Amino acid sequence: MEDIRYQPAEIEPKWQKHWDDRHLFRAGERAGAPRAYVLEMFPYPSGAMHMGHVRVYTLGDVIARLARMRGFDVLHPMGYDAFGLPAENAAIKDGLHPAIRTPRNIESFREDLKRLGISYDWSREISTHEPEYYRWNQWFFLRMLERGIAYRRLSRVNWCPSCRTVLANEQVLEGLCWRCDSKVEDRRIPEWAFRITAYADELLQDLDKLDKWPERIVAMQRNWIGRSEGATVAFKVDGTAVEIPIFTTRLDTIFGCTYLVIAPEHKLVREFASAEKLAEIDAFAERIAQERKTDRAADTNKQGLFTGAFAVNPFTGQKVPIWVANFVVADYGTGAVMSVPAHDQRDFEFAKQYRLPIRPVIQPADGSPLLDPATAPAAFTDDGVVRDSGPFSSLESAAARQAMAELARKSGFGNPSITFRLRDWGVSRQRYWGTPIPIVYCEKCDPERRGIPVPDSDLPVRLPGPDEMDVKEVLSGTGEPPLAKISSFVNTTCPRCGGPAQRECETLDTFVDSSWYFARYLSPQDDRAPFERSEADGWLPVDTYVGGPEHAVLHLMYFRFWTKVMQELGLCEAREPVKRLVTQGIVNGPDGRKMSKRFGNVVSPRDIVEQYGADVTRLFILFAGPPQDDMKWSDDQVEGISRFLNRVWRHFQSVKKDLNDEERLAAETGVNPLRRKTHKTIRKLTHDIDNLQFNTCVSALMELSNAIGAVDSTQPAPFSALREAYEAFALLLSPLAPHFAAELWEQLGRADEIQLHSWPAWDEALTVDELVTYAVQVNGKLRGEVQVPATADDEEIKATARQAERVAAHLGDKPVRKAIVIKGRLVNFVV
RNA sequence: GGGAGAGUGGCGGAAUCAGGUAGACGCAACGGCCUUAGAAGCCGUCGGAGCAAUCCGUCCGGGUUCGAGUCCCGGCUCUCCCA
């Protein structure tokens, strides 16, 4: 007996080669067609793909293939986020230079992608570690420098001792490095930064336009930007000329201010504290910095120290003590706050702890009395009516805020102001495997080391390769940038005076690379510009972007910022990079835990594809649940999918001959249950696939295959209906399991490309059943079912329903008060 | 503490957008057929209790409604993000 099992190992490579040979997925080759740009977050090319990658790329591929069937000219590119720490860290271990390891990894990764049958336009492949790519990072850096968006600053940075680099705030999670979980330390060093805060308002406002982004991602960005409206008010330090600006959102409570808190590391502290006190304060600062590192909950534990100085409230002239405390940080707002314990919970707790006075000035709007400092268990933090506040008394909070800000402005001690939680983006990294920053230092022209930009004509500033360095020696440094050890790199000539000069040895954060790569795909070989304007205006913004939600406030914020800059540079019209964002959940191990070597529950895509084929792997991932939900790998479920395709295959092989017999096909006509099922399935998939409900798409295809299988055993096969069902099945399956679908299509005798065939349409008339099943309820409880002709009117339906056996029994001779008929669904008798 | 989301069979999930037969589809389990035997395949059962009629059942408690997994109010639990 001939083996009729379906053989993915044969048909999948066959179709992959076919697509490759015909360049079937090249973008820009369907003249006049509307365009769709479908993109997945590009991978860091580690040696082997993991299941998370399989999930993103499968999701993106379904969307891209569907768009193609809908007649779009689809751009679906792939590339590699190739700079970064893992390759560098691996090199320190085994001495293999990143520039050698990375291309190998890319090759292996590409192989895995190809075996999954993802429909990429491979002619546009890019990798960020190539000089042809990163020279444009440098070019952008110079443009930003010209516009004051890039600047040099001295800053307290988050330093990861294990990765030996600086981290952005977003890369520090609960005091730990996002990559290696080491405890992050504070250091003060000069670094390059991007003024993303200048775009804070726009980044916030434009969130409203992102109506096809998941709400939670938008909410996370909104929180991250953290806009607050309020006022800045200067408090004079008593007996000095020093002014401490404070930021508050509750200016209406300023008459209740009983002390000031300033960050212990705030530079103004040195201007008013006595030498003696200063030593105490420094020790305090040191201690809390230490605690913050060792204890994640340190911040909830309030600690403070009186500085010995007093400040004058500009509204009241009253003197209040100035404290330092662990919950005020120097780089948020102005680094100092006024404390109103009666109306701020944190201030309240602090005041109780250190026995500071509590002065209520806001009366609840419902008329209940002012808070009693002695007995109140908590601060009253709502708006209300202002009391005991001089000329502002009896104003509503909002009105008081406005009036007070106005007075402050007129009197010159304050202004309405807005602060953001968002910080500027520090981009300097003391690492090797990244984009060299195109800056030169010349002692003669630039004694202050502000940095001299490398001229565009000298770009790219190339990263020294394996021949120019001793890998282990250069990379295993102690905090100095590795590039500083490569004298052939460091020593150069000054672009201004032509004298000796040194290059900047830091490299750019790799989030720079991923901030604009989506645009580079538009003209990946362009050597005169990062990309072509005309291409950008034709394809941007990206229509659908698929990736993990872990990038909500990192990559997804940076690339929005970058897009706005690109637009200002005249590179594109778009001011937002992506219209629709799809975030996908995690693929966990079979035990429900995160896949990890530690748990020994890692499932390798390569093994699975080898064993079951790409189509089975793809279908399983799609079937397991909605894209945004986390899912669990299940070997049994994979088997189930494999059985499903085999069942279809076997049945198809047994009827194939008849399906291609034109005489028999011509003889058959009419509507029958299979045709109805076929058209209903088309309708369902058309709806579900648009809503990204791929799991129910797979279910519906299983149902259709069950209906196809049932025909055979019951009655003489209506071959025309069977052929119609198989054609529809192949088309509907095509975006999900493209190889299997293409093979079916070919064996149905079709010579055209199923990949480019139009998405099937259903005939609504063919979806209508002759008999409709109605559920019959009595008083809302199910009591029976009846079959009613589809053409019956309400009265006929009721009459039939009434006669159903169990229904009649329940109705008895009680009068029916009301009968509700829901067309096509149910009848409910109320007695 | 603030924000977002989720709780449905032994399991993954469907129905939730628009209130209308809860459990589609698949997995696991069980029974049967085929087979020397296994693998594969095929047929059947499959929320709980009950011989049945019937009753109970979508985290818990209320409410709206002829009818609530779905809507409203209150609570519990869990996940993620931010403090």
Side-chain angles (χ1 to χ4, degrees), chain A residues 662-677:
Chain A
E662 283 181 28
E663 266 180 50
R664 293 198 62 166
L665 289 170
E668 318 258 356
T669 50
V671 187
N672 56 59
L674 182 58
R675 287 202 82 183
R676 281 193 208 102
K677 187 68 182 172

Side-chain angles (χ1 to χ4, degrees), chain A residues 147-159:
Chain A
R147 299 179 152 247
I149 298 169
Y151 67 100
R152 193 150 173 82
R153 68 178 181 186
L154 189 69
S155 68
R156 205 190 74 188
V157 294
N158 304 300
W159 176 260

